[in-house]
Structure formats: structure tokens, C-alpha cells
Amino acid sequence: FEEFMASVANGQPTVARGVYVTDTLALAIEQQPAGNAGYVTYTPNEVSQFQSAAYFGVTGLLAHNHLAGAQFFNLHLGQEINIIYGDGSSSAFRITAQHRFQALAPNNPNSQFVDLETGATLSALEVFNQMYTSAGDVVFQTCIAQNGVSSWGRLFVIATPIE
């Protein structure tokens, strides 16, 4: 953990630079380019911080499911995660929820989505509001591949601050 912390530190105390989960993942965090909320890094072992979520005080971590996002499927309820900041400090969170949705138009970011647990159909805005407006949370997001479609659905893993 300490070695990973040192590898991502850059001296900026308020910038998330890494996410670490013991025996599961250690990923650098890249900031999205300004004005490009759809950007997701193609760098292996790196996630993009979702700037639209940051407006709500949420640390959104985006990754492609064939790259770092594949590791999101190994996260489980009750697991502790750590966000590492540029100054080497960290904050601890606990995974409290996982949500899976089918995208009715997989390649359209404004698709309608079906909640795979409840069967409810939601708009993209409703999904965003459910996943990204609880200040203080960390949200992992990646696509779910199914039936030969790499963006068939979406996985969200939610972690809340450890008090």
C-alpha cells in the first residue's frame, strides 16, 4: 500500500491520484480533460475521474471493461477501499452497494436502462442521479459485456466513507 501511495503522489493534496483495494486492485487515477465528460482512459491500470460526478462531491471512477474496469467485477460488499491523494494522504471507504443495468441502446450514452434487480426502466439522467449525487461516495463504473456487445450494460459499485 505504501509503495503504491508513493508511486501516485504528485504533491497536490486535493487531487485523487490512486485507488487501492487490498489483494484486488491498485489503479492510478487520471483526471478527465476539461469539458470532455465522456472521456475514459485507454491506459491499462488507470481509471478516469468523472468530472460530472465531482460537481456533486462524488469521486466517480470510470474504466473500460476490457482494461482496468475488468477489475471492478472483483469488488464485493463490505470490502474497504482507499483513495490516495497527491500529497500521499488517503481516505477509507467501504463498499455498500452494487447495481447492474442493461442499456436498451448500448452505444448511446443517453440510452434508457433496465435495473437488473428491480426490472424498472430508467432514463440515463435517472441512473446518473441515483448513482452520482450522494456527496462523499466513491462510485466505480464500467460497462458489462454480454451477448457479444461490449457495452450491453453498466456496473456501478458504490463505496461510502468509513466514519
Side-chain angles (χ1 to χ4, degrees):
F1 178 66
E2 287 76 22
E3 186 176 309
F4 177 69
M5 285 178 71
S7 75
V8 297
N10 69 354
Q12 298 176 302
T14 60
V15 177
R17 297 284 302 146
V19 58
Y20 182 87
V21 182
T22 303
D23 297 328
T24 304
L25 59 80
L27 302 168
I29 297 174
E30 172 190 56
Q31 302 302 306
Q32 281 184 324
N36 191 352
Y39 174 83
V40 180
T41 182
Y42 278 93
T43 304
N45 295 314
E46 190 170 88
V47 297
S48 296
Q49 186 171 357
F50 188 24
Q51 291 307 310
S52 296
Y55 293 122
F56 297 95
V58 173
T59 302
L61 303 176
L62 309 175
H64 292 291
N65 58 1
H66 62 281
L67 296 168
Q71 297 176 59
F72 296 178
F73 293 93
N74 298 326
L75 299 171
H76 58 268
L77 296 176
Q79 205 167 21
E80 184 176 320
I81 72 156
N82 288 279
I83 296 294
I84 295 97
Y85 301 95
D87 64 354
S89 66
S90 66
S91 296
F93 300 81
R94 187 159 320 283
I95 296 173
T96 56
Q98 292 186 351
H99 302 279
R100 294 170 189 259
F101 296 88
Q102 178 185 357
L104 297 180
N107 297 316
N108 180 349
N110 295 313
S111 173
Q112 296 271 51
F113 292 88
V114 175
D115 184 319
L116 295 178
E117 185 174 328
T118 67
T121 300
L122 304 167
S123 70
L125 181 59
E126 289 171 318
V127 171
F128 178 91
N129 287 336
Q130 281 188 17
M131 299 300 116
Y132 287 112
T133 56
S134 188
D137 285 359
V138 173
V139 179
F140 296 84
Q141 179 185 341
T142 195
C143 289
I144 298 169
Q146 191 164 311
N147 302 328
V149 180
S150 64
S151 58
W152 178 90
R154 306 294 183 274
L155 169 70
F156 297 88
V157 180
I158 315 293
T160 58
I162 295 175
E163 302 292 331

